[in-house]
């Protein structure tokens, strides 16, 4: 999350979707990739940037899980599941 005045798009235009009364989701108008989220009532002056859109997502690692109240139950242990660099073996 960043101060709203610190966030800008440098190429192309965004498309906006009103996902709730105050929530706004911003997407790339060409490919549909989700870019930002704002909510003037809950997060005034803040823009939530989707980390996968950064040139280097590793530069700003996650520091917390948020909005967990309605998450799917098994997500609490998702980081404990087996990991595969590509696909699991087909045995």
């Amino acid at each position: 999350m960043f101060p709203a005045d610190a966030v800008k798009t440098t190429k192309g235009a965004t498309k906006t979707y009103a996902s709730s009364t105050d929530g706004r989701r911003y997407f790339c108008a060409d490919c549909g990739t989700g870019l930002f989220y704002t909510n003037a009532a809950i997060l005034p002056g803040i823009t939530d940037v989707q980390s996968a859109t950064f040139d280097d997502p590793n530069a700003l690692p996650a520091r917390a899980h948020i909005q967990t109240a309605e998450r799917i139950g098994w997500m609490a242990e998702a980081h404990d599941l087996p990991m595969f660099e590509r696909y699991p073996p087909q045995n």
Side-chain angles (χ1 to χ4, degrees):
M1 294 184 182
F2 298 90
D5 61 359
V7 177
K8 66 178 180 173
T9 53
T10 58
K11 185 177 179 184
T14 59
K15 189 161 182 108
T16 306
Y17 172 69
S19 59
S20 64
T21 301
D22 297 301
R24 299 293 176 267
R25 296 182 185 277
Y26 299 83
F27 300 86
C28 172
D30 292 327
C31 71
T33 297
L35 302 170
F36 320 119
Y37 173 78
T38 61
N39 188 311
I42 297 171
L43 302 167
I46 300 293
T47 298
D48 184 2
V49 179
Q50 293 189 17
S51 58
T53 64
F54 294 136
D55 290 335
D56 181 7
N58 287 314
L60 295 167
R63 297 185 302 185
H65 290 260
I66 62 169
Q67 292 292 89
T68 61
E70 290 95 15
R71 75 175 166 199
I72 299 169
W74 53 260
M75 279 301 298
E77 289 85 31
H79 296 294
D80 297 332
L81 294 171
M83 296 183 190
F84 303 94
E85 286 187 22
R86 298 286 182 243
Y87 298 100
Q90 301 296 310
N91 296 341

